[in-house]
Amino acid sequence: MASVLVTGYRASDLGIHNDKDIRVKIIKTAIKRDLLHFLEEGVDWLVFTGNLGFEFWVLEVAKKLQKDYPFQMATIFPFENHGERWNEANQLKLVAFKQVDFTKYAFPRYENPSQFREYNQFLIDNTDAAYLFYDEANETNLKYFYDLARKQENYPIKRLHFDDLNEIVETFYEN
């Protein structure tokens, strides 16, 4: 496995409106555990789509791990104007997504809904696996990516589940 696509819930999907929310710390603990596992398996590229929430938290954890592990990061935004209407704090996060080893845009601008299917298929065709924070019980537009990815042969999907986060919380309380 050489490249892993990272995608998942946006912060707003989880009701998280502040980076100091304790849930972010719990999610980042799970992310670090999972990234270490990927890196030990030989992953050398993490690929992002530039979304706030899970992807940004993975990016933050990955940037710290990059000091000790030899891997690279890429962001493939769907459109060239991705994030242009974000507030100032989120603009800084957008800059972080652009300060990776490789950055590209799939389309110049939005023209029609079929672009999202093409974009998702392109991401799947050009990565070896996905790291996804998604649960069918809490459906969002991620379902379109997840459904497409599940249909692919030899495309492993490592999912972060809410149960994983509950286990981390229980471990915190036990210690």
Side-chain angles (χ1 to χ4, degrees), residues 26-126:
I26 294 163
I27 293 167
K28 284 184 173 182
T29 300
I31 288 168
K32 183 175 181 181
R33 175 201 65 200
D34 292 343
L35 287 184
L36 289 171
H37 179 76
F38 282 131
L39 295 170
E40 289 166 7
E41 287 185 351
V43 167
D44 50 16
W45 279 95
L46 295 177
V47 179
F48 300 91
T49 68
N51 285 321
L52 301 177
F54 180 68
E55 285 189 43
F56 183 72
W57 301 323
V58 173
L59 178 68
E60 288 182 307
V61 172
K63 283 192 174 198
K64 290 178 183 172
L65 291 175
Q66 210 171 27
K67 296 171 186 164
D68 298 318
Y69 292 88
F71 68 95
Q72 295 181 294
M73 294 184 280
T75 304
I76 303 174
F77 296 100
F79 308 106
E80 289 180 12
N81 65 342
H82 181 83
E84 73 180 6
R85 295 184 180 161
W86 291 355
N87 66 33
E88 189 176 330
N90 290 340
Q91 288 291 329
L92 295 174
K93 294 175 182 178
L94 181 62
V95 168
F97 277 116
K98 292 178 179 181
Q99 293 176 333
V100 294
D101 303 293
F102 180 83
T103 305
K104 285 289 182 193
Y105 302 92
F107 300 100
R109 67 191 158 284
Y110 176 81
E111 293 175 4
N112 63 66
S114 69
Q115 289 173 293
F116 291 109
R117 182 164 171 49
E118 292 171 28
Y119 176 64
N120 286 339
Q121 189 63 57
F122 174 83
L123 293 170
I124 291 166
D125 290 345
N126 289 281

